Amino acid sequence: MAHQVALIRGDGIGPELVQAVETVFDAAQVNIDWIEVEAGLKCVEAGKPIVPEETIGKIKELGIGLKAPMTTPIGKGSVSPNVTLRKKLDLYACVRPVYSMPGVPTPFNGLDVVIFRENTEDLYAQIEYMATPTVAHTVKLISEKGSERIIRAAFEYARKNGRKKVTCVHKANIMKIGDGLFLRTFNRIKEEYPEIESWDNIVDAQCMQLVTRWKQFDVLVMPNLYGDIVSDLCAGMMGGLGVAPGANYGTKAALFEAVHGSAPKYAGMNKANPTALLLSATLMLDHLGEHDARTKIEAALRTTIESGVKTYDLGGTATTSEYAQAIAAALKG
Ligand code: NAD
């Protein structure tokens, strides 16, 4: 029976990337029944909420979705459709594997790190106000429950996947209460995983050490904002935003999406790299138990890149669709 998966085509470069994923999935004969749902600018333009309740309801019902990037409207009171989805679906664990791939130019050979970013709290709780006409307050919300579930998710992942070390990234030397709670929770939970080495590191030192000693890191777990920034740093180390995949797991659903945004300046140009969304979609296949399909597609993707068929961001000349068709041909060949 086909797996039913909710699909958000997104905007900007989103629809082109989804088309590329469809080309590859068709060639791999993956049994997916895409159920399209709406969110983002299109909804706002039609006078609907940025993420309509039907969309939330459908993703909850199916328990799984693939999401292309969506633009955050600019202006007072505008909310991000991406943050809204994460909050409404309680997608508390953002998981971003970053690794060097043959054929993707990067000086960081041997990079193999998995980032666990807390996805619902911290400065993204969207609690902000003007304390006086000239002073703004943005609340950094860290709870023990929120910290515990992301830290436990990181350790459980390490245990299940044979990872050796989990590092907690924080700034508890300065934010002794908020980040202090995150670190204390980490120190409590780590006792339950004695076979896994545990470290903690201050976020600024972590960034420096990632680019000087990347091979010494394995699983990293951190609050939301550090996770956002460290993910983009690591995406750059992997070879650019065009190749960095991501997954969001929660109590109600799992939603798979690339690290990058809607890159509006490349919209409609058939130019953007669909690798990040495609690798997010293969993480989704793993979640569905379709491990062989994942392996097959990732092998075809590697063969294609190694053969020199690459999009502009990796130094190639292939268009989005040419690249997808080359992966499809590698799957069939
Ligand atoms: P972005 O990630 O969209 O793009 C930044 C730059 O990275 C692009 O100009 C391009 O040079 C490169 N890039 C990104 N994706 C690429 C790809 N697939 N192939 C090749 N190059 C790629 O970041 P931005 O320009 O800051 O944000 C644009 C919009 O996307 C904003 O509205 C932002 O809020 C939104 N956004 C959405 C998500 C999401 O959907 N999860 C994530 C980040 C940003």
Side-chain angles (χ1 to χ4, degrees), residues 3 5 18-34 66 277-286 288 290 293-294 296-298 324 327-328 331-332:
H3 300 282
V5 175
V18 170
Q19 213 170 7
V21 171
E22 288 173 324
T23 301
V24 173
F25 271 43
D26 284 349
Q29 297 182 311
V30 189
N31 215 1
I32 302 278
D33 190 3
W34 299 111
L66 179 70
L277 190 64
L278 187 55
L279 289 174
S280 308
T282 61
L283 291 175
M284 181 194 87
L285 288 176
D286 227 24
L288 288 169
E290 297 284 352
R294 175 193 181 172
K296 232 168 53 173
I297 292 173
E298 291 186 0
I327 301 172
L331 276 162
K332 287 176 184 160

Side-chain angles (χ1 to χ4, degrees), residues 73-132:
I74 298 169
K76 198 164 172 263
S78 297
V79 293
S80 155
N82 309 298
V83 175
T84 305
L85 273 164
R86 288 172 203 157
K87 288 185 83 171
K88 291 211 166 181
L89 293 166
D90 195 26
L91 297 168
Y92 66 87
C94 174
V95 182
R96 291 171 166 173
V98 282
Y99 43 89
S100 47
M101 285 162 65
V104 176
T106 169
F108 301 100
N109 288 317
L111 174 73
D112 184 13
V113 167
V114 184
I115 297 165
F116 276 70
R117 165 189 176 189
E118 200 290 321
N119 225 5
T120 57
E121 300 194 335
D122 195 358
L123 289 158
Y124 291 69
Q126 294 179 313
I127 307 168
E128 285 196 296
Y129 55 92
M130 295 303 293
T132 75

